[in-house]
Amino acid sequence: EVSCLRRIGHHPLFEVASTLALLSYAVFLIVTAGYSPQQMEERDDSIYRANCAFAAVFTAEVVFRLISDGYRFFFGLLNVADFILVASSIGELFLSSVSVASLRILRVFRIGRVFR
């Protein structure tokens, strides 16, 4: 039932879980930003897997909110920004064999959701 999904999607615990995921992602970005190119190469596989895990969590969150809010989801500017950021992170994962340094900066904007 949509009303049940809507209650869950707007429940404070859902928001707390989303915020904790964002904060975890922020820590991940801070830690990996300090890596030297050699460290990045050594940890490339684990960094890729962590990016996949975060992308899956954020995708699930956006899909859940999209289902719970329906078309109204796209009336919120922050929701549209979330949708674009999730789509870009999925695209970045698919294009990881190509240099996508310009897309990496978009990941930082996802952290801005904490301040909404």
Side-chain angles (χ1 to χ4, degrees):
E1 183 172 297
V2 176
S3 64
C4 179
L5 288 175
R6 187 162 176 74
R7 281 196 315 267
I8 293 171
H10 294 282
H11 194 276
L13 287 178
F14 186 80
E15 294 294 326
V16 167
S18 297
T19 302
L20 287 175
L22 284 168
L23 291 174
S24 299
Y25 189 65
V27 170
F28 172 75
L29 286 178
I30 290 167
V31 169
T32 57
Y35 285 171
S36 69
Q38 180 184 2
Q39 289 172 313
M40 289 291 282
E41 188 175 316
E42 291 170 357
R43 295 173 174 91
D44 190 47
D45 190 45
S46 59
I47 291 171
Y48 178 77
R49 282 184 282 173
N51 276 326
C52 287
F54 281 115
V57 168
F58 294 132
T59 300
E61 176 198 4
V62 166
V63 167
F64 191 86
R65 287 189 354 232
L66 182 60
I67 291 169
S68 72
D69 290 347
Y71 68 90
R72 291 182 304 274
F73 175 86
F74 292 104
F75 291 148
L77 185 59
L78 291 174
N79 289 339
V80 172
D82 286 347
F83 184 82
I84 291 169
L85 290 169
V86 165
S88 71
S89 62
I90 292 170
E92 180 181 0
L93 290 174
F94 285 120
L95 298 173
S96 63
S97 61
V98 180
S99 176
V100 287
S102 60
L103 288 177
R104 287 187 73 189
I105 194 70
L106 290 176
R107 295 187 303 175
V108 175
F109 290 114
R110 188 178 303 133
I111 297 168
R113 291 178 37 208
V114 172
F115 302 107
R116 64 176 173 161

